[in-house]
Amino acid sequence: SSRARTSQHLLRARSLTPGPEAVMSQDPKAVAGLVADLKMLAAFETAADWREQKAMDSAYSAVSWSDAGVKAALPEYLAASASERAKVDYAFNAMVPRPPQDIDGRQAVMHTWIKARLFSYNKAYPFQFNPYAQ
């Protein structure tokens, strides 16, 4: 029947075009790494608000500094043009609306690290922010 053919066509099209669920099944560590770094950023900021140096050090040390994918993306992110960084900055600012404070320069380093992580994700799977795009 035509419904069965349409269903088969949709399944075939989905298998050729990786959707968000396919991306997640390929690298579930991507989201976990981002969430873990965002948690450490929040912990660092909270500790900084209370001037708890040991907690700040602990949160900073727990960031994914050894992640090879982010290490590779960092110089690319820093060298990227403003237009290439725009989507990454938009995504980052949606998750972290406050700029780094002047309490400790490490907060700005953490911001840049997370942006480099997002840059690598955007490079592999371009962000789509238009709700009307299909």
Side-chain angles (χ1 to χ4, degrees), residues 3-23:
R3 177 174 258 178
R5 279 183 296 203
T6 302
S7 180
Q8 287 175 344
H9 175 70
L10 288 173
L11 288 173
R12 201 173 314 116
R14 283 189 181 158
S15 68
L16 296 175
T17 307
E21 61 281 344
V23 171

Side-chain angles (χ1 to χ4, degrees), residues 2-121:
S2 67
R3 177 174 258 178
R5 279 183 296 203
T6 302
S7 180
Q8 287 175 344
H9 175 70
L10 288 173
L11 288 173
R12 201 173 314 116
R14 283 189 181 158
S15 68
L16 296 175
T17 307
E21 61 281 344
V23 171
M24 294 305 301
S25 67
Q26 289 174 0
D27 191 6
K29 296 179 289 183
V31 171
L34 176 61
V35 170
D37 284 350
L38 289 170
K39 283 181 179 180
M40 289 305 104
L41 178 61
F44 183 89
E45 290 175 347
T46 301
D49 288 344
W50 288 94
R51 307 296 192 265
E52 293 287 339
Q53 190 63 44
K54 287 183 182 178
M56 289 170 62
D57 295 344
S58 178
Y60 185 80
S61 296
V63 171
S64 65
W65 301 119
S66 61
D67 187 315
V70 182
K71 278 184 184 178
L74 184 61
E76 294 176 19
Y77 170 73
L78 294 173
S81 68
S83 63
E84 291 175 313
R85 293 166 66 158
K87 280 186 178 181
V88 170
D89 292 341
Y90 181 85
F92 179 82
N93 291 333
M95 293 182 281
V96 183
R98 293 185 338 181
Q101 299 175 5
D102 291 335
I103 295 170
D104 189 322
R106 294 181 297 175
Q107 185 182 13
V109 172
M110 293 169 79
H111 280 210
T112 304
W113 184 259
I114 294 170
K115 287 179 181 181
R117 176 179 291 284
L118 291 171
F119 185 81
S120 71
Y121 296 169

